[in-house]
Amino acid sequence: KMFAAMLRARVFDAKAINLQRTGKLGTYAPCLGQEATHVGVGAALRPEDCIAIVYREIGTLFWRGVRMVDVLLYWGGDERGNDFAVPRQDFPWCVPIATQTLHAAGAAMAFKIRKEPRCALAFIGDGGTSEGSFYEAMNLAGVKQLPIVFVIVNNKWAISVPIEAQTAAQTLAQKAIAAGVPGVQVDGNDVIAVRDCVARALAKARSGGGPTVVEALSYRLSDHTTADDATRYRTHEEVDEALKLEPLIRMRKLLEARGVLNEVREQALKAEFSREVDAAVQEYSNTPKQSTDAMFDNL
């Protein structure tokens, strides 16, 4: 199921990039190479939990029931795409860097006050961990022992800034130490490892054990967004090496070794997901545009 979810996200991702290139979608943030982290997190969460995403985590959103057409609407400039039919309690896309961590900490504080056995989870990128909001959210989580997990997706590049120029910390996980919060690293290209690591952190938080910071080590194989050209700041050799470690490879080998996946089955899945994506694109294209006055409806 997790392999299929990663493959589904990848098929959608490729189509979304094509739509942007042909002027049918606005700026889009691809997730190529980071599917294992997104799907692993989604698989570890319970439906009643709450996530605060950034702008790339389609694998998590799809796992939790967000429709493809909603994602297309959002990146097409229609805020109705932010009003997820499922799951209602999750936060919308967040383009301002690191502010979503504060939203998640607030939700976690509400869960604790209400004595609800729920957790909040906030995604953040490697560059986002340099923002003050991240430290504020982590500090509050630590001092109040909130039921929250911070997932740092370390994809090595904050747009054109490499991790080496971002911080002198040896790891991003160790930034948790100052807040009195446990920090762990996980192979973000291993969906099983991510699911296990995040599930443990959520279980600890749910039982009153407080927050955890999880640094998932991955690599952004695509441009930062469709407005970016990564060839201007990194080498083809670096990307080629990262491609050898992309998350679908090892999961495919595992499933083939267990006799539950082969080339025919995978191609059938791709065809199924392509049809699903095409139907979503058709629905997106047929959605009547809103009045410009709609921007004030929920302001």
Side-chain angles (χ1 to χ4, degrees):
K1 185 178 178 182
M2 290 192 292
F3 177 82
M6 290 193 291
L7 188 63
R8 184 170 177 252
R10 186 166 291 190
V11 171
F12 176 89
D13 202 54
K15 183 66 173 183
I17 293 170
N18 289 339
L19 289 171
Q20 192 281 330
R21 296 303 191 216
T22 54
K24 297 174 183 175
L25 209 63
T27 301
Y28 173 77
C31 70
L32 184 65
Q34 295 163 79
E35 298 93 346
T37 295
H38 298 163
V39 170
V41 167
L45 287 159
R46 290 183 181 176
E48 66 268 22
D49 292 334
C50 162
I51 62 168
I53 58 169
V54 192
Y55 42 71
R56 202 184 300 278
E57 296 80 18
I58 61 169
T60 311
L61 291 182
F62 289 163
W63 188 280
R64 289 179 65 74
V66 173
R67 301 181 306 157
M68 289 181 176
V69 69
D70 289 334
V71 177
L72 293 172
L73 283 168
Y74 173 75
W75 289 111
D78 191 328
E79 282 293 333
R80 287 175 293 183
N82 251 337
D83 188 16
F84 306 140
V86 178
R88 294 300 295 169
Q89 73 280 3
D90 286 351
F91 285 94
W93 302 94
C94 188
V95 176
I97 304 301
T99 56
Q100 73 280 356
T101 59
L102 295 169
H103 305 157
M109 195 163 182
F111 299 156
K112 184 165 185 176
I113 289 169
R114 295 171 178 168
K115 295 181 171 57
E116 296 176 353
R118 302 167 65 191
C119 294
L121 184 141
F123 278 101
I124 189 166
D126 41 288
T129 65
S130 298
E131 292 283 340
S133 294
F134 171 66
Y135 288 95
E136 292 162 17
M138 196 165 50
N139 186 66
L140 177 67
V143 76
K144 296 291 187 183
Q145 285 294 282
L146 299 181
I148 185 171
V149 177
F150 299 96
V151 176
I152 303 169
V153 184
N154 182 357
N155 65 23
K156 307 296 191 292
W157 289 93
I159 309 184
S160 58
V161 180
I163 188 68
E164 297 79 16
Q166 187 72 236
T167 179
Q170 291 183 355
T171 72
L172 298 179
Q174 74 192 56
K175 291 190 174 191
I177 296 171
V181 174
V184 297
Q185 281 187 322
V186 66
D187 184 345
N189 285 356
D190 185 334
V191 69
I192 295 173
V194 172
R195 186 197 177 284
D196 179 67
C197 180
V198 173
R200 289 169 187 263
L202 288 167
K204 179 170 75 75
R206 210 181 304 279
S207 63
T212 302
V213 172
V214 175
E215 178 188 5
L217 298 164
S218 186
Y219 191 87
R220 193 194 80 217
L221 290 170
S222 60
D223 297 327
H224 174 70
T225 68
T226 50
D228 173 43
D229 179 8
T231 61
R232 296 173 63 187
Y233 53 81
R234 64 185 187 188
T235 65
H236 290 296
E237 290 77 17
E238 178 183 328
V239 178
D240 288 343
E241 284 302 307
L243 267 168
K244 297 175 184 176
L245 301 173
E246 64 94 348
L248 266 68
I249 295 173
R250 68 185 71 182
M251 197 61 172
R252 182 183 294 115
K253 287 181 177 178
L254 175 67
L255 295 174
E256 287 175 348
R258 293 189 176 184
V260 294
L261 184 71
N262 55 36
E263 180 66 21
V264 173
R265 174 67 176 141
E266 184 171 344
Q267 290 305 318
L269 283 170
K270 282 184 181 178
E272 175 190 336
F273 298 145
S274 292
R275 288 191 294 271
E276 185 183 3
V277 171
D278 288 343
V281 171
Q282 192 64 45
E283 184 179 352
Y284 161 66
S285 301
N286 293 337
T287 301
K289 293 192 182 303
Q290 288 180 301
S291 159
T292 50
D293 290 346
M295 71 176 78
F296 301 109
D297 289 347
N298 299 292
L299 192 62

